[in-house]
């Protein structure tokens, strides 16, 4: 069984400031890691994912996350946020094994609020 | 390409009534997943369906809950004799046929069920 911990339920920041949203996981097997974003009144959208290879993954809108196996973390970072980044962010993991890799386990989410 | 559609977006039921939640997957997607988000918790996997087949229902409560994905029409999550503890946001996701475990699940906006 896996679990995901997002330590911060809310993160308020000012526009153009850097931000880090923390995510830690626990699992007895290797995992795939994901960050999803949910804008108001919309479904969750995949922001970025780690499957294998380089431990640093990037999204098209400037977010990046680094897989740290020793610390079992997958923190999300952006060097300079915009008002439009205001949303709820969910970290998720799935078992890497075929036949069970579709079963995502999510954290409780972090509400990022970017203020002018 | 329309995204995953869920309806209704909000559903209010009294204890003992039935709730029916509908999910239309993205065009070309034949796999549907249902997740539930209880208050103050992350999304939890409930069930994985393909057309006319339940593949994995390990996350479904043993009683009162059922899901189907018929050959024609949307996937339905049905909750009989609802209780207050069923109040939650129910999210549907879809994906194309799984390939090497890298397929992304695309989420709908969710149905928020309130049981009075």
């Amino acid at each position: 069984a896996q679990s995901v911990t997002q330590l911060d339920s809310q993160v308020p920041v000012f526009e153009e400031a850097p931000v880090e949203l923390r995510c830690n996981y626990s699992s007895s097997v290797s995992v795939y890691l994901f960050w999803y974003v949910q804008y108001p009144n919309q479904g969750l959208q995949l922001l970025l994912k780690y499957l294998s290879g380089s431990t640093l993954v990037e999204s098209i809108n400037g977010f990046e996350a680094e897989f740290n196996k020793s610390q079992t973390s997958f923190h999300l970072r952006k060097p300079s946020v915009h008002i439009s980044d205001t949303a709820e962010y969910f970290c998720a993991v799935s078992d890497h094994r075929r036949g069970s890799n579709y079963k995502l386990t999510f954290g409780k989410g972090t509400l990022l609020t970017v203020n002018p | 390409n329309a995204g995953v559609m869920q309806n209704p977006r909000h559903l209010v039921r009294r204890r003992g009534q039935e709730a029916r939640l509908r999910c239309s997957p993205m065009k070309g997607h034949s796999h549907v997943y249902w997740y539930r988000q209880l208050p103050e918790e992350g999304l939890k996997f409930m069930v994985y369906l393909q057309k006319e087949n339940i593949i994995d229902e390990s996350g479904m409560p043993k009683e009162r809950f059922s899901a189907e994905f018929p050959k024609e029409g949307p996937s339905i999550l049905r909750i009989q004799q609802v209780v207050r503890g069923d109040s939650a946001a129910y999210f549907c996701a879809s994906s194309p046929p799984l390939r090497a475990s890298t397929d992304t699940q695309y989420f709908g906006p969710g149905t928020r069920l309130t049981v009075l």
Side-chain angles (χ1 to χ4, degrees):
Chain A
Q2 292 118 22
S3 67
V4 176
T5 302
Q6 292 183 246
L7 289 168
D8 306 302
S9 60
Q10 297 187 52
V11 173
V13 295
F14 287 108
E15 194 173 17
E16 298 183 5
V19 71
E20 178 179 82
L21 307 183
R22 294 179 292 171
C23 172
N24 289 88
Y25 70 92
S26 67
S27 176
S28 56
V29 298
S30 295
V31 296
Y32 297 130
L33 294 151
F34 307 81
W35 275 99
Y36 281 83
V37 58
Q38 185 179 28
Y39 299 103
N41 296 314
Q42 296 186 28
L44 282 74
Q45 302 172 32
L46 181 68
L47 189 60
L48 46 76
K49 61 185 177 183
Y50 171 78
L51 303 179
S52 64
S54 172
T55 57
L56 184 66
V57 290
E58 299 177 350
S59 72
I60 58 172
N61 58 352
F63 283 94
E64 65 178 29
E66 186 159 20
F67 169 50
N68 188 319
K69 189 174 182 179
S70 63
Q71 296 187 7
T72 60
S73 68
F74 192 54
H75 302 329
L76 182 69
R77 301 183 182 95
K78 188 170 185 179
S80 176
V81 293
H82 302 291
I83 299 281
S84 59
D85 292 324
T86 294
E88 186 138 30
Y89 292 79
F90 294 91
C91 182
V93 303
S94 73
D95 188 330
H96 81 298
R97 295 171 296 186
R98 289 180 67 86
S100 57
N101 49 44
Y102 50 80
K103 200 179 297 186
L104 291 167
T105 298
F106 286 83
K108 294 183 182 182
T110 298
L111 179 62
L112 173 65
T113 303
V114 181
N115 299 299
Chain B
N1 189 7
V4 178
M5 310 283 283
Q6 288 188 251
N7 67 81
R9 295 291 307 278
H10 300 274
L11 182 61
V12 178
R13 285 288 178 266
R14 296 190 181 280
R15 280 179 297 170
Q17 290 184 320
E18 179 179 285
R20 280 182 178 244
L21 288 63
R22 294 175 186 78
C23 169
S24 296
M26 286 181 70
K27 186 176 180 180
H29 287 191
S30 56
H31 296 215
V32 165
Y33 316 81
W34 285 93
Y35 291 81
R36 177 168 68 172
Q37 185 180 27
L38 294 169
E40 308 299 318
E41 304 219 357
L43 283 76
K44 296 281 197 302
F45 170 83
M46 298 180 76
V47 62
Y48 163 34
L49 309 108
Q50 296 178 18
K51 286 282 187 182
E52 300 183 284
N53 282 304
I54 297 174
I55 306 302
D56 181 349
E57 56 182 348
S58 59
M60 289 276 270
K62 298 299 180 196
E63 298 177 346
R64 302 187 296 107
F65 284 71
S66 62
E68 63 177 8
F69 188 18
K71 188 176 180 181
E72 302 290 338
S75 174
I76 306 286
L77 179 67
R78 182 182 178 206
I79 312 172
Q80 295 179 288
Q81 298 176 314
V82 295
V83 300
R84 288 215 173 107
D86 297 332
S87 295
Y90 292 83
F91 290 90
C92 169
S94 72
S95 72
L98 292 174
R99 297 186 310 270
S101 70
T102 59
D103 281 303
T104 297
Q105 294 179 24
Y106 294 81
F107 282 80
T111 293
R112 276 149 183 82
L113 172 66
T114 302
V115 179
L116 301 176

